[in-house]
């Protein structure tokens, strides 16, 4: 049915397909070469995109944050309440303040020197693995998982921090390496219980890295004049370096895929040349019954294009399946394709069909320019 429709609408394409099916094994091998090339380009590209997205997800806390500390020209070592108020007036986003000190912490079994945090909003930075971190609290302590294991304490036990005893209300979840507040080996106390005069730092969270970059620029202009009183930092430079490294990796991966495609193109060139030589008599007959050189050229190019299109479609299908496996592994969602990842399937398809077309040019030109009399005599 399909062949009859193709014969009526596109007779030359139907004839080209019929010629290819006469040498099924050779045609299948040529298509397999294109399929492998497309899979190499598309799947390697999708792997690079998924790896980039996975890395950005892991450092999401940093990329969306702006953090401030006393600048190098400041005559103060900690932010006072007035400094925090100045920051709050300079932005519409919430400002989280952090107190921090290092002191001895005693549990049931040991005493450790640990970092003690006082967070204005603990729920914005930590989560409880056991117990609960109150939204507003005036007593109790939340202990990081590593420190809790070292001190042999759990929820309901007591820890002594700088001479004061606190009931453990939560054992915290592990924090990622990219977190701005790492509490694995630390204690989190109500901010009023941390005995420092001011705040060591302030953090602003935004919805996206771009919003964080704009906020950082705005705060730097608003808070600092000729002197740097507030050190305003964001992850813009780190992201730029990361993007440059990912661009180099993508180029390398595409180069590997390009080599595979080159091998496939040579294979198609070989197949088409062999086909041209074997069918010299048939081509001579076609020319003798009135086929113009251009018709022979189009016929041979159609055969090359069919090899490329079918091989590329199969390659795109396999690449999507591989991409789903990569997404499941790196992003925990098989369908988490980004626009950049899908772009590589288009790139693979275009490379596959274009290389097939270019590989078919010389054999098609050679067949079209064969003299009918010589072809029939051979």
């Amino acid at each position: 049915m399909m062949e009859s429709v193709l014969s009526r609408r596109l007779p030359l394409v139907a004839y080209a397909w019929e010629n290819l099916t006469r040498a099924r094994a050779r045609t299948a091998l040529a298509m397999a070469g294109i399929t492998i090339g497309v899979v190499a380009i598309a799947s390697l590209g999708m792997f690079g995109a998924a790896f980039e997205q996975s890395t950005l997800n892991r450092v999401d806390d940093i990329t969306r944050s702006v953090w401030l500390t006393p600048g190098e020209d400041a005559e103060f070592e900690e932010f006072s309440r007035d400094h925090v108020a100045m920051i709050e007036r300079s932005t519409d986003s919430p400002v989280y303040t952090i107190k921090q000190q290092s002191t001895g912490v005693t549990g049931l079994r040991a005493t450790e020197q640990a970092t003690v945090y006082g967070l204005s909003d603990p729920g914005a930075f930590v989560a409880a693995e056991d117990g609960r971190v109150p939204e507003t609290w005036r007593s109790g302590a939340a202990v990081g998982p590593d420190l809790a294991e070292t001190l042999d304490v759990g929820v309901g036990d007591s820890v002594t921090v700088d001479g004061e005893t606190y009931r453990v209300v939560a054992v915290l979840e592990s924090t990622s390496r990219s977190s701005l507040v790492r509490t694995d080996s630390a204690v989190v106390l109500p901010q009023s219980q941390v005995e420092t005069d001011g705040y060591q730092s302030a953090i602003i969270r935004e919805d996206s890295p771009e919003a964080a970059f704009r906020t950082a620029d705005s705060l730097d202009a608003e808070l600092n004049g000729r002197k740097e009183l507030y050190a305003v930092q964001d992850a813009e430079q780190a992201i730029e370096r990361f993007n440059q490294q990912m661009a180099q990796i993508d180029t390398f991966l595409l180069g590997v895929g390009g080599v595979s495609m080159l091998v496939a193109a040579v294979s198609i060139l070989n197949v088409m040349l062999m086909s041209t030589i074997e069918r010299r008599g048939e081509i001579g007959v076609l020319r003798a019954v009135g086929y113009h050189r251009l018709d022979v050229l189009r016929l041979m190019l159609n055969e090359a294009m069919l090899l490329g299109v079918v091989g590329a479609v199969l390659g795109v299908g396999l690449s999507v399946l591989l991409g789903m496996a990569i997404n499941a592994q790196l992003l925990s969602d098989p369908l988490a394709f980004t626009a950049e990842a899908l772009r590589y399937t288009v790139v693979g398809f275009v490379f596959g069909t274009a290389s097939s077309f270019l590989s078919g040019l010389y054999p098609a030109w050679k067949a079209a320019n064969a003299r009918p009399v010589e072809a029939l005599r051979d």
Side-chain angles (χ1 to χ4, degrees):
M1 179 69 177
M2 185 70 184
E3 289 184 2
S4 61
V5 172
L6 196 62
S7 299
R8 289 197 303 272
R9 300 291 180 86
L10 299 168
L12 202 60
V13 175
Y15 186 26
W17 181 251
E18 183 181 342
N19 289 335
L20 290 175
T21 55
R22 283 190 289 176
R24 295 177 186 273
R26 192 165 62 192
T27 299
L29 289 174
M31 287 180 180
I34 291 296
T35 300
I36 292 171
V38 172
V39 169
I41 289 178
S43 61
L44 287 176
M46 285 193 286
F47 170 77
F51 178 74
E52 180 178 1
Q53 188 62 44
S54 172
T55 304
L56 289 175
N57 288 344
R58 287 201 302 272
V59 298
D60 185 58
D61 183 37
I62 287 182
T63 57
R64 295 188 299 111
S65 299
V66 178
W67 56 100
L68 299 93
T69 54
E72 61 180 13
D73 298 325
E75 296 178 353
F76 50 88
E77 296 181 352
E78 299 174 340
F79 290 139
S80 66
R81 189 60 239 175
D82 290 340
H83 293 127
V84 174
M86 176 73 78
I87 297 171
E88 290 173 337
R89 285 195 297 271
S90 302
T91 177
D92 295 328
S93 302
V95 178
Y96 304 98
T97 54
I98 296 176
K99 286 185 174 183
Q100 182 177 346
Q101 66 176 139
S102 179
T103 188
V105 180
T106 303
L108 297 179
R109 198 169 60 182
T111 297
E112 284 287 314
Q113 191 72 17
T115 300
V116 178
Y117 286 107
L119 308 175
S120 60
D121 185 354
F125 297 95
V126 297
E129 182 178 270
D130 188 17
R132 188 173 70 88
V133 179
E135 293 183 4
T136 57
W137 58 342
R138 296 184 179 179
S139 63
V143 184
D146 294 346
L147 184 62
E149 183 177 356
T150 302
L151 301 180
D152 192 22
V153 297
V155 175
D157 294 330
S158 297
V159 293
T160 301
V161 180
D162 201 20
E164 295 288 334
T165 301
Y166 300 88
R167 179 175 174 270
V168 176
V169 297
V171 175
L172 301 174
E173 292 181 352
S174 296
T175 52
S176 68
R177 290 186 175 183
S178 61
S179 177
L180 289 171
V181 181
R182 300 183 62 184
T183 57
D184 289 1
S185 298
V187 173
V188 180
L189 295 178
Q191 205 166 48
S192 60
Q193 301 297 314
V194 180
E195 294 182 356
T196 60
D197 294 332
Y199 308 93
Q200 279 69 44
S201 59
I203 295 176
I204 298 167
R205 287 260 182 83
E206 295 289 359
D207 295 330
S208 65
E210 292 75 17
F213 303 156
R214 289 194 296 271
T215 299
D217 293 340
S218 173
L219 285 172
D220 191 35
E222 185 79 20
L223 299 173
N224 295 319
R226 294 181 178 179
K227 294 184 177 180
E228 186 188 48
L229 302 179
Y230 297 79
V232 183
Q233 303 173 71
D234 59 28
E236 186 171 10
Q237 291 184 348
I239 290 179
E240 287 180 356
R241 286 197 299 272
F242 173 73
N243 288 337
Q244 290 173 355
Q245 292 171 353
M246 286 306 304
Q248 293 173 349
I249 293 174
D250 286 345
T251 302
F252 172 75
L253 294 178
L254 285 177
V256 173
V259 171
S260 301
M261 188 60 72
L262 180 62
V263 172
V266 172
S267 173
I268 286 187
L269 175 62
N270 184 47
V271 167
M272 294 301 297
L273 275 176
M274 289 178 62
S275 177
T276 301
I277 294 171
E278 291 175 356
R279 292 160 55 195
R280 279 178 63 85
E282 176 188 333
I283 293 170
V285 171
L286 291 176
R287 292 294 309 279
V289 298
Y291 267 63
H292 192 269
R293 286 179 177 175
L294 187 59
D295 296 326
V296 176
L297 184 75
R298 291 169 55 197
L299 174 64
M300 299 300 290
L301 286 178
N302 272 311
E303 292 182 16
M305 283 297 294
L306 282 172
L307 287 173
V309 169
V310 176
V313 168
L314 292 174
V316 168
L318 289 174
S319 299
V320 171
L321 293 177
L322 281 173
M324 292 174 67
I326 292 170
N327 289 342
Q329 186 68 28
L330 295 180
L331 303 175
S332 303
D333 182 1
L335 301 179
F337 288 104
T338 62
E340 184 180 3
L342 294 176
R343 183 171 63 86
Y344 286 107
T345 62
V346 178
V347 172
F349 182 84
V350 171
F351 264 73
T353 53
S355 61
S356 297
F357 177 79
L358 294 174
S359 298
L361 279 176
Y362 175 67
W365 175 85
K366 188 176 179 63
N369 287 280
R371 293 178 181 274
V373 176
E374 294 177 357
L376 288 172
R377 188 173 56 207
D378 292 344

